[in-house]
Amino acid sequence: MNEPAAARRRAPLDAVRSVGRALVFLGQAVVRMRFSRLQVGESLRQTYFIGVRSLVIIITCGFFVGLVLTLQTYDTLTRFGAGDAVGTVLALSLFRELGPVLTAILFAGRAGTSVTAEIGLMKATEQLDALELMAIDPMERIVQPRLLAGLIAVPVLTLIFNFMALAGGVLYGVFLMGIDPNVFWGSMQNSVELGRDFGAGVAKSAAFGALAAWLAVYFGWTCKPTGEGVALATTQTVIATAISVLLLDFVLSALML
């Protein structure tokens, strides 16, 4: 059997092994989790940096997603004489699906790759080995604060994304298309349930944040300590996070319906 054919046959088994190693890595990080004052401070500092790194792209994309979503929704609904329901469709689409999913993918592309490259560079320059020589656990000092930062930052960024998307929707629907603002907001308030729609979206975003942070630190932690290895790891972070978020979104949506 030639080498390409053998590689294709090994691919499923290699994928299973990679998932297993990532789960073991996550288990080690959770088991060794500490909540000292230093850990909490470092986690908040990482949350701030991750949030700031992602804020511009979240605000910009959120606003334009709201514009485009309202444009397409209004055009479709008016064909059936239901143009006043655009606020309902916009809110439910954002809170349930688009807000959490798009925020997590944008987070992976901006902050996730940055975390992977940062840890990969620490590995390449032997900073992780230096921490161990100083009797400092790299898992506790480097990995855990970034995991907690992703868990905290993504839900906050999702709320900002939703707010900006609603702003874009109001701009197009109310100010450009002339929809009565009372009808726009009234239909939204009557259709959105706080727990079922808004709360479920926040819960999803927390799960996606934990997933994105886990994959970002894992690929940085396990990358080859070379320039090519770090570059490959950042690419893997984006691809794996996007696929995993969409898969997890399907599972959570099925459970929450």
Side-chain angles (χ1 to χ4, degrees):
M1 183 182 299
N2 56 32
E3 184 59 26
R8 285 195 296 271
R9 290 176 63 88
R10 290 196 306 267
L13 187 58
D14 291 342
V16 173
R17 286 173 177 164
S18 298
V19 173
R21 285 194 290 267
L23 289 173
V24 170
F25 173 80
L26 177 63
Q28 292 175 340
V30 172
V31 169
R32 292 154 68 176
M33 188 78 72
R34 299 290 182 272
F35 292 98
S36 63
R37 180 179 298 180
L38 179 64
Q39 280 291 85
V40 172
E42 179 63 17
S43 298
L44 292 177
R45 195 175 72 86
Q46 290 297 328
T47 303
Y48 171 77
F49 282 119
I50 286 175
V52 169
R53 284 171 182 167
S54 308
L55 204 53
V56 173
I57 191 171
I58 292 295
I59 290 174
T60 306
C61 291
F63 183 75
F64 284 107
V65 165
L67 277 177
V68 172
L69 183 61
T70 306
L71 186 154
Q72 294 287 356
T73 303
Y74 183 77
D75 179 68
T76 303
L77 291 178
T78 50
R79 299 179 187 179
F80 301 96
D84 292 342
V86 66
T88 299
V89 178
L90 176 65
L92 293 179
S93 301
L94 286 172
F95 294 154
R96 285 184 177 179
E97 299 296 335
L98 290 180
V101 170
L102 292 181
T103 301
I105 294 176
L106 291 171
F107 173 84
R110 181 63 186 89
T113 53
S114 178
V115 168
T116 300
E118 182 184 19
I119 297 177
L121 186 60
M122 288 181 182
K123 187 175 182 180
T125 55
E126 299 182 349
Q127 294 181 52
L128 300 180
D129 295 334
L131 288 175
E132 290 182 344
L133 289 175
M134 292 186 290
I136 298 174
D137 186 359
M139 185 75 77
E140 183 178 338
R141 181 63 62 86
I142 304 298
V143 172
Q144 292 169 0
R146 287 160 178 79
L147 286 176
L148 291 174
L151 182 64
I152 297 170
V154 173
V156 176
L157 292 171
T158 300
L159 294 178
I160 296 172
F161 181 96
N162 288 341
F163 175 80
M164 292 307 301
L166 288 177
V170 170
L171 175 64
Y172 185 83
V174 175
F175 292 100
L176 296 182
M177 292 293 101
I179 298 175
D180 188 328
N182 293 324
V183 173
F184 186 89
W185 292 112
S187 64
M188 192 180 301
Q189 291 173 357
N190 292 331
S191 59
V192 175
E193 296 181 22
L194 186 61
R196 179 182 171 85
D197 302 318
F198 186 80
V202 173
K204 275 186 178 181
S205 65
F208 296 160
L211 177 63
W214 166 36
L215 294 175
V217 296
Y218 172 72
F219 283 115
W221 187 268
T222 57
C223 74
K224 292 182 179 179
T226 62
E228 292 182 354
V230 174
L232 177 62
T234 57
T235 303
Q236 290 174 324
T237 296
V238 176
I239 296 172
T241 303
I243 295 174
S244 301
V245 164
L246 293 173
L247 178 61
L248 181 60
D249 181 54
F250 173 75
V251 174
L252 293 178
S253 297
L255 294 175
M256 291 177 178
L257 283 178

